[in-house]
């Protein structure tokens, strides 16, 4: 979830006095509306076309105005939304037949049809639509071939076989399919409406947008930094919706968000960095566990020093993760003991949290680190000083982590000189993709609550794997999981893959991110998802 993650931590800009004045109208204390809340976005909403965008404001908004076949409930489990029930697949787990609710309508009164799903999904793989989020379709029939330009997007395994009946065919069973299709990218689009307004204009302002969920958007021109969501009178489950409206305002700075919350102009403020660190004892702070791991990508290209496994292991052992999270971050983040973060998924075959049952020791071991480092240098034919570069973006929290890592490695490992480069996001992305780094600070925020969404990105030649970790055994385990036709084989393959990744030090996990919110105690019923976006549709606010 690259573009989304880039925006999550994007703080540090100061809003003008004019913006603050405008926020004065966003208070939930507005007496003219009985059930109204005020929320923030960390950047402006620019589009609501879920087939060619993947940004935080877009997916946050879509979660509250639209629905796919399923939605996630408060326990992060799929429940029926546009589909009438949770469907059991046929054809050895490869075929799903969905029936769309007869009462499901778009906010303009159009009925939600099966063809609206077929149209939306195929637009998401149509090259002419400049799709940006294609890899999540992998496993649906022909999706991989379409992504690799070997088949037409029209051949994807989804088709309407009736006005309210949808057939989806997979290349192989997908144990995580139900969670996958709850993502905003799998939401439908009103085919007749989109074709009427034009595919280039769709989702660019209020007039060119319709929704099928609990709310519809209003007061949005496509360029303004505030808008409202109001009740959708055509929503199939409108009796459960208590809020009359949700007000959104762009607030790019955590400190400003804090101030607006204190002034009762925000009911839920997302904070991070120094602001979050300073407010850990605030009575209104809510630490939200997320499927979100911060880690070091390690350049393992041939000829690079860290292609040597012992050197990678030495670096991992040299880091005091508890000190990093407790003293440097101090924002509720936890030491990472694996790639998959806690709370992502329960392994149904063991009843245990997957992250906890596959975790490794995070204890710093400086003696073993030095021993491995010297052995690795000898194996790699390296003499003299080992120069290592750490590349990351230029946010304050990234800089602080980089400086801590630099100090740890310089102090612990003999003959190491660490250089850090914290540069603008676009520049550091280029450095990583070109392989011009030794260690790169990065993070993965899961698209859906399943370990495969983490582990699958580190297969050989995956575009999300710029460190070029490549291990045939690991690749085979991921493929085995993806094609497993039963839960036992699926979860066993994933457990083995996580262990293999850690044994080979394919990456170096650092910490599990916790999302910090300041929440009005009168705001109840918000569903904060571990993987996915906060759902305010069933929320209420008391007087």
């Amino acid at each position: 979830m690259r573009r989304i993650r880039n925006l999550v931590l994007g703080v540090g800009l100061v809003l003008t006095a004019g913006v603050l004045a405008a926020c004065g109208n966003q208070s939930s204390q507005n007496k003219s509306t009985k059930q109204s809340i005020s929320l923030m976005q960390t950047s402006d909403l620019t589009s609501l076309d879920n087939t060619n965008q993947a940004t935080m404001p877009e997916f946050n908004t879509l979660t509250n105005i639209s629905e796919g076949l399923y939605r996630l409930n408060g326990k992060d489990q799929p429940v029926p939304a546009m589909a009438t029930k949770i469907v059991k697949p046929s054809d050895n787990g490869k075929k799903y037949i969905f029936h769309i609710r007869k009462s499901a309508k778009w906010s303009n009164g159009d009925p939600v049809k099966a063809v609206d799903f077929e149209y939306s999904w195929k637009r998401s793989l149509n090259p002419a639509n400049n799709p940006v989020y294609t890899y999540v379709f992998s496993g649906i029939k022909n999706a991989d071939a379409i992504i690799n330009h070997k088949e037409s997007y029209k051949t994807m395994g989804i088709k309407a076989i009736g006005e309210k009946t949808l057939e989806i065919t997979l290349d192989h069973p997908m144990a995580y399919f139900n969670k996958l299709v709850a993502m905003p990218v799998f939401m439908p689009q009103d085919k007749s409406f989109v074709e009427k307004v034009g595919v280039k204009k769709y989702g660019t302002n209020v007039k060119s947008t319709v929704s099928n969920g609990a709310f519809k958007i209003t007061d949005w021109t496509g360029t303004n930094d505030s808008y409202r969501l109001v009740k959708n009178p055509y929503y199939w489950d409108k009796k459960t919706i208590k809020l009359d409206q949700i007000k959104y305002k762009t607030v790019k700075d955590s400190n400003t968000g804090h101030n607006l919350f204190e002034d009762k102009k925000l009911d839920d403020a997302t904070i991070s960095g120094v602001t979050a660190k300073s407010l850990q004892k605030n009575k209104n702070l809510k630490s939200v566990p997320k499927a979100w791991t911060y880690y070091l990508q390690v350049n393992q290209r041939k000829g690079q020093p860290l292609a040597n496994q012992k050197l990678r292991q030495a670096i991992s052992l040299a880091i005091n993760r508890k000190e990093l999270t407790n003293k440097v971050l101090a924002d509720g983040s936890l030491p990472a003991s694996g790639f998959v973060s806690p709370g992502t998924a329960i392994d149904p075959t063991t009843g245990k949290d997957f992250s906890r049952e596959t975790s490794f020791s995070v204890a710093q071991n400086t003696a073993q680190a030095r021993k491995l480092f010297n052995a690795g240098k000898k194996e790699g034919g390296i003499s003299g000083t080992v120069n290592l570069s750490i590349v990351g973006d230029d946010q304050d929290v990234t800089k602080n982590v980089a400086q801590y890592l630099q100090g740890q490695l310089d102090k612990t490992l003999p003959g190491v000189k660490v250089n850090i480069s914290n540069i603008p996001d676009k520049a550091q992305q280029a450095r990583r993709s070109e392989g011009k780094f030794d260690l790169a600070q990065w993070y993965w925020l899961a698209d859906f609550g399943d370990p495969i969404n983490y582990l699958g990105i580190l297969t050989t030649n995956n575009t999300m794997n710029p460190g070029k970790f490549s291990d045939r055994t690991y690749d085979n385990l991921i493929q085995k999981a993806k094609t497993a036709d039963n839960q036992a084989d699926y979860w066993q393959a994933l457990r083995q893959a996580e262990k293999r990744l850690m044994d080979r030090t394919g990456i170096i996990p650092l910490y599990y991110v916790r999302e910090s919110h300041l929440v009005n105690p009168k705001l109840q019923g918000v569903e904060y998802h571990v993987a996915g976006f906060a759902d305010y549709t069933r929320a209420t606010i008391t007087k």
Side-chain angles (χ1 to χ4, degrees):
M1 187 172 282
R2 172 61 199 99
R3 297 182 68 188
I4 290 176
R5 290 192 306 281
N6 182 39
L7 293 172
V8 171
L9 298 177
V11 297
L13 300 180
V14 179
L15 299 184
T16 64
V19 170
L20 292 177
C23 282
N25 296 322
Q26 304 302 308
S27 174
S28 62
Q29 308 304 313
N30 187 339
K31 302 300 183 182
S32 64
T33 303
K34 183 179 180 181
Q35 286 278 299
S36 174
I37 62 173
S38 295
L39 308 176
M40 61 176 276
Q41 298 276 30
T42 54
S43 60
D44 291 343
L45 178 66
T46 59
S47 174
L48 283 171
D49 185 346
N50 63 301
T51 66
N52 62 13
Q53 297 290 321
T55 64
M56 172 71 81
E58 181 208 9
F59 277 15
N60 266 332
T61 307
L62 284 170
T63 297
N64 292 289
I65 67 171
S66 291
E67 288 186 344
L69 295 166
Y70 303 146
R71 58 181 289 271
L72 296 180
N73 64 14
K75 297 181 180 180
D76 286 326
Q77 295 303 308
V79 293
M82 289 295 98
T84 57
K85 65 178 182 179
I86 300 294
V87 174
K88 292 185 178 180
S90 59
D91 189 19
N92 297 315
K94 294 190 292 184
K95 182 170 289 186
Y96 291 77
I97 302 294
F98 292 93
H99 297 287
I100 309 303
R101 294 181 186 277
K102 293 180 180 180
S103 58
K105 292 185 178 181
W106 293 96
S107 54
N108 62 356
D110 288 349
V112 177
K113 301 178 181 179
V115 72
D116 295 336
F117 283 91
E118 178 182 355
Y119 179 70
S120 176
W121 290 24
K122 288 182 175 178
R123 281 196 73 213
S124 294
L125 291 189
N126 183 353
N129 195 41
N130 297 317
V132 298
Y133 216 40
T134 58
Y135 85 94
V136 294
F137 287 85
S138 179
I140 299 170
K141 185 178 179 180
N142 288 338
D144 287 332
I146 296 166
I147 293 167
N148 292 317
H149 309 292
K150 295 179 180 179
E151 292 281 354
S152 166
Y153 70 93
K154 296 179 181 179
T155 67
M156 184 162 61
I158 178 171
K159 65 178 179 178
I161 57 175
E163 183 173 296
K164 291 281 187 175
T165 306
L166 183 69
E167 178 184 271
I168 297 174
T169 307
L170 309 181
D171 281 326
H172 50 75
M174 296 169 64
Y176 49 92
F177 182 74
N178 286 350
K179 290 183 179 179
L180 185 74
V181 298
M183 290 176 57
V185 71
F186 291 97
M187 289 174 175
Q189 291 185 350
D190 185 346
K191 183 175 184 290
S192 61
F193 178 84
V194 176
E195 292 179 338
K196 180 180 178 180
V197 301
V199 294
K200 298 296 184 183
K201 292 184 178 180
Y202 175 70
T204 57
N205 54 41
V206 168
K207 292 182 179 180
S208 64
T209 303
V210 291
S211 56
N212 67 332
F215 293 89
K216 63 179 182 178
I217 192 166
T218 187
D219 299 336
W220 178 56
T221 65
T223 58
N224 53 326
D225 63 1
S226 63
Y227 55 94
R228 292 186 302 133
L229 308 185
V230 298
K231 276 186 178 180
N232 175 8
Y234 295 104
Y235 181 49
W236 70 273
D237 197 26
K238 62 183 179 182
K239 66 180 183 298
T240 66
I241 309 305
K242 306 303 180 184
L243 292 178
D244 294 295
Q245 69 174 353
I246 301 173
K247 301 176 182 180
Y248 277 103
K249 180 71 181 174
T250 301
V251 181
K252 298 180 180 179
D253 176 60
S254 275
N255 191 52
T256 302
H258 172 217
N259 291 336
L260 292 173
F261 178 82
E262 291 297 317
D263 290 341
K264 302 186 185 302
K265 294 175 181 176
L266 286 176
D267 294 297
D268 188 334
T270 306
I271 57 174
S272 61
V274 175
T275 304
K277 183 176 180 178
S278 67
L279 293 172
Q280 287 304 297
K281 295 184 179 180
N282 188 295
K283 64 179 182 180
N284 294 314
L285 183 74
K286 181 178 180 63
S287 183
V288 179
K290 301 294 290 184
W292 192 353
T293 303
Y294 195 102
Y295 65 102
L296 289 175
Q297 293 175 333
V298 188
N299 191 345
Q300 297 161 62
R301 290 168 171 80
K302 186 177 180 179
Q304 297 298 314
L306 298 185
N308 182 277
Q309 182 181 343
K310 287 186 172 67
L311 294 184
R312 300 195 300 271
Q313 291 174 326
I315 290 171
S316 183
L317 287 170
I319 300 168
N320 189 329
R321 293 169 176 80
K322 288 186 178 180
E323 186 174 68
L324 171 64
T325 54
N326 291 339
K327 296 184 178 180
V328 179
L329 296 168
D331 61 358
S333 297
L334 301 173
S337 54
F339 189 26
V340 179
S341 65
T344 297
I346 298 296
D347 179 344
T349 65
T350 64
K352 298 178 180 178
D353 182 281
F354 180 86
S355 176
R356 302 191 189 285
E357 71 178 354
T358 58
S359 64
F360 70 102
S361 174
V362 297
Q364 183 186 41
N365 189 330
T366 56
Q368 183 67 4
R370 293 188 183 103
K371 181 178 178 180
L372 285 168
F373 196 76
N374 287 328
K377 285 178 64 177
K378 186 175 181 180
E379 280 186 0
I382 302 171
S383 60
T385 301
V386 179
N387 292 295
L388 297 177
S389 63
I390 299 179
V391 176
D393 63 39
D394 57 356
Q395 297 179 63
D396 287 343
V397 65
T398 312
K399 292 178 182 178
N400 292 339
V401 171
Q403 290 167 6
Y404 178 77
L405 295 174
Q406 181 186 45
Q408 289 270 287
L409 300 183
D410 283 346
K411 178 178 66 175
T412 303
L413 301 179
V416 164
K417 182 175 177 58
V418 177
N419 298 298
I420 57 178
S421 297
N422 290 107
I423 53 182
D425 188 64
K426 187 175 181 179
Q428 65 93 10
Q429 286 189 60
R431 287 272 294 273
R432 289 187 306 109
S433 63
E434 294 167 4
K436 296 179 179 179
F437 69 97
D438 294 304
L439 299 164
Q441 298 171 263
W442 202 237
Y443 36 88
W444 184 252
L445 174 59
D447 302 295
F448 55 95
D450 193 282
I452 195 72
N453 190 233
Y454 290 84
L455 301 171
I457 70 168
L458 293 177
T459 52
T460 301
N461 296 325
N462 192 295
T463 56
M464 300 290 181
N465 179 18
K468 300 300 181 183
F469 168 65
S470 180
D471 180 76
R472 182 177 297 179
T473 299
Y474 181 83
D475 290 348
N476 289 340
L477 287 168
I478 296 301
Q479 185 60 23
K480 182 179 179 181
K482 286 184 173 181
T483 58
D485 60 6
N486 63 80
Q487 291 283 348
D489 287 349
Y490 177 73
W491 289 94
Q492 181 182 37
L494 290 179
R495 289 194 298 271
Q496 292 173 341
E498 174 78 69
K499 184 177 186 302
R500 181 70 178 182
L501 178 65
M502 292 299 101
D503 286 346
R504 303 294 295 175
T505 320
I507 60 167
I508 299 175
L510 294 176
Y511 60 91
Y512 301 126
V513 180
R514 290 295 180 267
E515 193 173 78
S516 297
H517 292 249
L518 291 172
V519 182
N520 183 344
K522 296 179 180 179
L523 177 60
Q524 302 292 324
V526 181
E527 295 173 352
Y528 295 98
H529 298 305
V530 173
F533 303 87
D535 185 342
Y536 295 88
T537 60
R538 271 69 179 173
T540 60
I541 191 160
T542 59
K543 291 183 179 180

